[in-house]
Every structure is written in structure tokens, then in C-alpha cells.
Amino acid sequence: MIQQKEDEVLVNHLTKQGIDNKMVMGHPASLFVLFFTEMWERFSYYGMRALLTVFLITEIVKGGWGWTNAEAMQLYAWYTGLVYLTPLIGGMIADKLTGYRKAILLGALTMTLGHLAMAFETFGSSFFYLGLVLMILGNGLFKPNISSMVGQLYPDTSTKKDAGYTIFYMGINAGAFLGMLLCGYIGEKIGWHYGFGLAGVFMFFGMLQFFFAQKIFGIIGKKPDTTHTPQEHVEKITNEETPKHVVRDRLIVAGVLMLASVFFFFAFEQAGGSMSIFAKDYTQRVLEGNAGLTFKWIDAALTIFPILIVTWVLYSLSKKIASAYPLTITFTALSFAIIWGLGIWKVYREFSAEQTEVTVSWFQILNSFFIITLASSFSKMWEKIWNPSGAVKFALGLLLVGVGFVALAFGASSIPKGATTATVSMVWLILAYFFHTTGELCLSPVGLSYISKLSPKKFVGLLFGLWFTASAIANFIAGMTGSYIDRISEAYSMSIFFYIIASIPIAAALLLLIFSSKLRKMTHGID
């Protein structure tokens, strides 16, 4: 009965907004259009990012640019830092000028052109740099606005809103997973420009399927929303009545959590930088005998099963909207046909190869894989077994990301000081990614939730902006710190480099645990 009432409230909300009220798996069909648009955007972003550092440091004779690790990491720092900074501007442009939809389409087109430019890197380095700039600008327009549209599909009181964001989050991870898997493989094994270009092909398909399904969203995202609902007015009055010392305390807690997130992402974002360098030069990636055969089967399963699952989601959507939005389904189906072709070709090629060589970018898919397999277990743990305060969850996240680097440091302990190559077991990188993902599941999902709860309503936008700024700072510091990998491993050892990275989030975690009870009191009842 409660479920039926909930569905009626949702359908009424959709009808009022002019949104198509067809449902897929109990959620608006429009959610799944956003799911696939975001999936292809994340495919393109992570597919390119998986290749960026490896391409820059690969020898010129192998098609790379032959940069030093330090040079590559500095460019990586600027790129990833700016990628997280531009959504601030993109959100404001959508709010004041274009509306969400136009911003998403413009962002998708700009990123498609960025990938196209990068695919022409063989004709000159200026194409490559132009591509990076376009990727940064396009991401700024796209990223904040598609998430905003998801929230508007549901009434504020809907219990399905969180589940909707969870489905959307799965789209993010499916896209990241497939992008790193396929673009990374093709870039490293076939040609760098093919990897960069492939990422753009799917960004283009994502843009087309969104463009031809715009009517499904009704009035949402059509023009800048300058109106205020009665509920927002009530919330404003309520917040004005909140005592000043309570507001101040909550803002302090929000600031502390943002600072903690900088320490977390400083370590976590080594994935595309120093951890890629470690995977390329210091990890045993050539597997023989049973080890090689086992990897081939694991890799085949990791390639085929995710494509199978997401194809089923597309089939469920197409049954409901194919007649009303044929071009959307056509372009998405065409993109999936290409994905299936690439997936089967990749598996066949690997089983036909005499030697099994794991690509450098393959390790980055582990984060998305562990998120998809562990996310529901973590949410059940918080719900039924143990649900500590935000500060304690953040501390756990920091500890776990630190432990991941302790594992790497231990694995690297056999590498002599100043060595430029080694053959460390890939088990240590897999362990590191496992701990990093468990840390992310403790910190990342609760981060934005706590910021929204602790912020006075008139400052929500500002605090979300500061959260993204904290991520930008963390990414920049991560890249710049990674640029010292050679200098530290020459003077001390590779192991010491990873211990230094590990010590910083662990120290921050201990400070958070010490002050966690004080911080909990300062939230004044918000949990």
C-alpha cells in the first residue's frame, strides 16, 4: 500500500513537470536516458585518463612522447585539477544562462571535439593540448548539470530519490569501467590515437541519444530556474531561525570534512599518476603458463559480463520508449553493437596471443569493479550493523586509503634504491586498489550528503562549490606529489615514496578520530 502511494506521488510529480511517466524497474524512463548519457561521458573521460600518463612516459619509438615521470605528472596535475574546478563555472552558466539541457549538449559536443583533437596527436602536439583544453571546458559544462537533472526527476519527499542516484552512480561506474578497459587496451596494444579517438566516438553517441530524447524530460532543464518553491521559502525562514552559533558550528564541521577530503583524494588520485608509473615500470605484467591462462579467463569475464548487464538495462528501456524516441534507442543500440564487437574481438585476440601481457591501464578498472561488487554490502552495513558519525566514516576512508599505500610500499620493498625497472607481483597493486575502493565507499557517498545537511540553505550552492574546489586542489597536489616519484626513489627508495603517501591520510584519520566526538556535538543533532 505504501509502495503504491509512493509510485502515485512520483507519477503525479512527473506529470506535473511534463515528464514522460513511463517507468523502467520502478523508476522514470528518463532516469535511464541520463544513465546512458552519463555512462558514455564517463567512458570517454576515464578511457582517456587511463591512457594519459602512460602515453606521455612511453618511449618515442613505441609511439609515446618519451616524457620523464616528473613532466608527465605535472601535466596530469594541471589537467585533473582543472577538470574538477570548471564544474563551478559550468553550474553557474547553466543556472543563469543556458539551462541544464543546453549546457549538457554543449559540454558533450566540446568533449567530443576534444577527443577528436587528441586522436590527431600524431600530426602535432598542438592537437593534443587543444584536446585537453576542450576536455576541461566540456567537462565543466556537462558534469554538474546532468547530476542536477537526476534530482529533479523526483519529488523532494520521494524515498526513491536515493535509489535513483544509486542507479545513476552505477551508470558512472559502468562507463568508467568499460572506458578504461577498452580504450586502455586499444591505446596500448593497437595505437594511442585509436584509444583517444574511441573515447570520443562514445561521447558523440551519448550526446546524440540525449539530444533526441529531450522531450522525455518535460520542462526540466529547459531554461534557468529562477523561481523559488514554497518549500524553499519555508526552509529559508527555518534557517533564519536557526541560532547563529549552531550555524557556525555546522559550517566548521563541513569545513573540517572538506579538508579531510583533500587528504583522501590526494592519495586516492595517485591512481592515474604514480600508481600507473608503478604498474608500467615496476610491476610484472607478462604472465606465463597457468597464471596467463587464469588471467585470460578473468579478463574475459570482466569484459563480457558488464556489457551483458548494461545491455539488459538498455533492452528494458527500449521496450518502454523505442516507439516514442526511436533515434535515441537506435544510437544507443548502435553504440552497444560496437561495444560488443570490441569486447568479443579483445577476448579472441587475447586467447589467440602466445604471450599474456596485462596492460598498464587494466589495473585502473579494479576501482570500478570493486565499487560495483561492494557498494550494496557497505550500504547494508551502515543500515543494519554499524552507522558511525560522518567524521568516523571519513576517518575510516582515510585509514583504508593509507593502508592501500602501505601494501604498495611493502610490495615495493624489494626494489633497489634508484632502480628504473622491476618485476613486483601484481597482487600488491590489486590489494592497493581494493583498500582504496573500500576507503572511497566510506567517504565519497556520505561526503555530499553531509555537506548538504550541514549547510544553511542559502549557502548550499557555495558549499557544494567549495567541495568541488577541494577535489580540484587534491587532484592538483596528487599530480605534483607524484612528480617526485623518481627523485624520492633515487634518494631513498620506491617503498619510502609510498610510505610517505600512506602516512598523510593516516595522520589525518587519527586527528579526525581524536576530535570525532567533539565534531559530532558541533553538528547539533545532524547525523
Side-chain angles (χ1 to χ4, degrees), residues 272-506:
S274 63
M275 289 173 73
S276 287
I277 292 167
F278 184 76
K280 179 182 180 292
D281 295 332
Y282 300 94
T283 302
Q284 174 61 38
R285 294 183 291 110
V286 177
L287 305 176
E288 294 171 350
N290 288 334
L293 187 62
T294 303
F295 177 81
K296 284 176 182 177
W297 281 107
I298 291 170
D299 186 52
L302 286 174
T303 303
I304 299 301
F305 283 118
I307 302 175
L308 202 61
I309 292 164
V310 186
T311 303
W312 175 75
V313 175
L314 174 61
Y315 173 71
S316 302
L317 176 65
S318 64
K319 282 197 299 185
K320 296 295 176 81
I321 71 163
S323 57
Y325 305 96
L327 286 174
T328 288
I329 296 300
T330 300
F331 283 116
T332 312
L334 180 58
S335 62
F336 269 80
I338 296 169
I339 284 286
W340 271 109
L342 289 172
I344 292 165
W345 163 80
K346 173 182 172 289
V347 170
Y348 174 77
R349 190 175 186 272
E350 280 304 291
F351 272 98
S352 303
E354 290 181 16
Q355 189 183 61
T356 302
E357 184 179 1
V358 183
T359 59
V360 176
S361 51
W362 183 86
F363 294 96
Q364 291 187 50
I365 72 167
L366 295 170
N367 175 241
S368 294
F369 170 72
F370 287 135
I371 279 180
I372 292 164
T373 51
L374 296 173
S376 60
S377 302
F378 269 76
S379 62
K380 283 174 186 171
M381 180 175 76
W382 303 140
E383 193 181 327
K384 296 180 179 177
I385 301 169
W386 182 48
N387 191 22
S389 67
V392 172
K393 284 179 183 172
F394 267 58
L396 275 174
L398 286 158
L399 279 171
L400 287 164
V401 79
V403 168
F405 279 104
V406 169
L408 268 185
F410 187 78
S413 58
S414 61
I415 302 172
K417 183 170 75 171
T420 54
T421 58
T423 51
V424 173
S425 169
M426 58 194 282
V427 168
W428 299 108
L429 261 176
I430 295 168
L431 260 180
Y433 275 107
F434 172 78
F435 284 117
H436 289 186
T437 307
T438 55
E440 184 187 5
L441 287 167
C442 289
L443 183 142
S444 218
V446 300
L448 288 172
S449 173
Y450 268 90
I451 296 301
S452 66
K453 289 174 186 174
L454 292 166
S455 308
K457 290 293 177 232
K458 58 183 176 180
F459 293 139
V460 168
L462 174 65
L463 264 73
F464 277 152
L466 289 172
W467 175 268
F468 279 112
T469 305
S471 293
I473 292 165
N475 274 267
F476 183 76
I477 296 171
M480 287 301 178
T481 307
S483 71
Y484 286 92
I485 187 168
D486 288 342
R487 204 178 300 181
I488 292 171
S489 59
E490 282 168 18
Y492 303 99
S493 69
M494 180 64 68
S495 196
I496 292 295
F497 173 79
F498 287 129
Y499 276 128
I500 291 168
I501 301 287
S503 65
I504 294 168
I506 289 173

